[in-house]
């Protein structure tokens, strides 16, 4: 999460290619910037707030990992001294979800050590070893988030709202409807989502719709407008804009990449 880090890509055959990694520690604000590759940022000390286009703001503390798609502009405000380890990589496999989100690792030691190991490569050409370590990091993060948006360990009202979203994600849900179903007020529901999911209820709903859309795009027999409607998007152009904002490519490009990967 630091501009100008010398992104010299190291190639491999894994579909995940290491570009660079480094450590940042300080209290200054990191100005708006973006990267050509996907950026993974683990907060190892302190806390910070990242701002993204569309008014999206995600707060993180020690143990949390940001996943940020390519070319997504963002800035970082630190609440006092904050330390982060960040890794930038090119992801060419549709099997890895590169959508914007915050992963709560709970201080998972394996994740922390993989970040530290990758920082040893810096921006040097680490070859297959760096790319293999990057792939291991992605696999570990996927293990920690297996089950996607599972609700275990969350506030009961939040679980009820999340369960409704997961059942009815294609419907025109509102925050008020979710709050009534959860049995709490809308402002309290917004607070719970931000505290425990790192996003608002509507951002959570949008992310889930896009996740299902990405899965449907692997089916060549549905056209993109059908998939958009199936996942709750009434306007195909709006769906395409949101998909590109999160995944960094259009739905059509994502489908082509997925179909090409399935033929290998």
């Amino acid at each position: 999460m630091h501009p100008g880090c010398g992104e010299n890509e190291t190639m491999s055959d894994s579909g995940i290619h290491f570009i660079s990694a480094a450590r940042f520690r300080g209290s200054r604000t990191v100005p708006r910037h973006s990267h050509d590759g996907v950026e993974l940022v683990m907060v190892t000390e302190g806390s910070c707030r990242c701002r993204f286009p569309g008014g999206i703001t995600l707060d993180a503390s020690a143990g949390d990992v940001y996943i940020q798609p390519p070319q997504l502009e963002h800035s970082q405000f630190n609440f006092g001294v904050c330390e982060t380890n960040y890794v930038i990589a090119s992801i060419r496999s549709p099997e890895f979800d590169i959508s914007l989100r915050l992963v709560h690792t709970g201080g998972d030691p394996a994740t922390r050590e993989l970040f530290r190991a990758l920082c040893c490569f810096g921006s040097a050409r680490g070859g297959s070893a760096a790319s293999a370590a990057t792939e291991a990091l992605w696999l570990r993060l996927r293990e920690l988030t297996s089950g996607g948006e599972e609700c275990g360990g969350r506030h009961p009202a939040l679980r009820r709202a999340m369960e409704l979203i997961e059942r009815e994600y294609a419907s025109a849900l509102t925050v008020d409807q979710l709050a009534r179903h959860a049995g709490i007020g809308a402002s309290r529901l917004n607070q719970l989502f931000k505290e425990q999911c790192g996003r608002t209820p509507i951002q959570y709903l949008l992310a889930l719709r896009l996740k299902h859309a990405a899965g449907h795009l692997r089916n060549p027999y549905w056209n993109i407008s059908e998939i958009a409607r199936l996942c709750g998007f009434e306007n195909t152009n709006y769906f395409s804009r949101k998909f590109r904002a999160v995944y960094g490519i259009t739905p059509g490009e994502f489908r082509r990449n997925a179909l090409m990967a399935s033929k290998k």
Side-chain angles (χ1 to χ4, degrees):
M1 197 168 300
H2 185 60
C5 56
E7 299 174 37
N8 299 313
E9 184 173 1
T10 297
M11 305 298 293
S12 78
D13 297 325
S14 66
I16 296 180
H17 310 285
F18 173 81
I19 297 175
S20 63
R23 171 179 169 270
F24 169 84
R25 190 175 192 276
S27 57
R28 68 176 177 84
T29 296
V30 180
R32 183 181 298 179
H33 65 285
S34 63
H35 302 280
D36 290 335
V38 180
E39 185 179 25
L40 303 177
V41 184
M42 184 173 195
V43 180
T44 54
E45 178 186 337
S47 59
C48 62
R49 170 174 294 164
C50 285
R51 293 186 174 92
F52 305 91
I56 298 174
T57 300
L58 297 178
D59 291 352
S61 56
D64 293 338
V65 175
Y66 289 99
I67 298 179
Q68 302 168 2
Q71 300 180 353
L72 180 68
E73 289 193 340
H74 56 280
S75 60
Q76 176 183 327
F77 173 80
N78 299 308
F79 299 103
V81 174
C82 181
E83 181 179 280
T84 61
N85 292 340
Y86 60 92
V87 177
I88 301 169
S90 171
I91 309 297
R92 298 183 179 177
S93 170
E95 299 305 314
F96 292 93
D97 180 3
I98 63 171
S99 62
L100 174 64
R101 62 193 188 281
L102 189 66
V103 177
H104 303 288
T105 72
D108 176 58
T111 302
R112 184 177 62 250
E113 291 306 316
L114 283 166
F115 267 100
R116 287 178 178 173
L118 283 162
C119 285
C120 294
F121 291 104
S123 59
R125 299 185 65 84
S128 58
S131 292
T134 306
E135 183 175 12
L137 175 57
W138 272 95
L139 290 170
R140 182 56 182 163
L141 290 172
R142 190 163 70 178
E143 288 174 352
L144 292 173
T145 56
S146 61
E149 310 295 345
E150 66 179 19
C151 305
R154 301 190 189 276
H155 189 285
L158 179 61
R159 289 204 302 270
R160 289 192 291 271
M162 294 172 76
E163 288 165 359
L164 179 61
I165 290 175
E166 288 165 8
R167 287 198 310 269
E168 305 291 341
Y169 66 88
S171 302
L173 296 171
T174 67
V175 175
D176 285 340
Q177 288 174 322
L178 293 169
R180 284 196 298 271
H181 180 80
I184 57 175
S187 60
R188 175 58 175 156
L189 183 64
N190 269 308
Q191 180 186 20
L192 287 172
F193 264 95
K194 289 178 180 178
E195 289 177 351
Q196 299 189 29
C197 300
R199 62 185 82 180
T200 67
I202 298 305
Q203 290 166 352
Y204 180 93
L205 172 61
L206 175 62
L208 188 62
R209 286 174 172 174
L210 292 173
K211 179 180 177 180
H212 281 280
H216 291 317
L217 285 167
R218 294 181 172 87
N219 184 336
Y221 300 105
W222 282 336
N223 63 46
I224 291 174
S225 60
E226 288 173 331
I227 291 171
R229 288 194 299 273
L230 185 65
C231 295
F233 296 94
E234 295 182 1
N235 185 290
T236 304
N237 290 332
Y238 175 79
F239 162 64
S240 296
R241 289 197 304 271
K242 291 299 183 181
F243 191 94
R244 183 166 190 168
V246 170
Y247 286 91
I249 56 178
T250 66
E253 291 169 332
F254 183 93
R255 165 170 277 174
R256 285 192 293 273
N257 291 346
L259 293 177
M260 288 176 60
S262 68
K263 294 176 181 177
K264 291 182 179 180

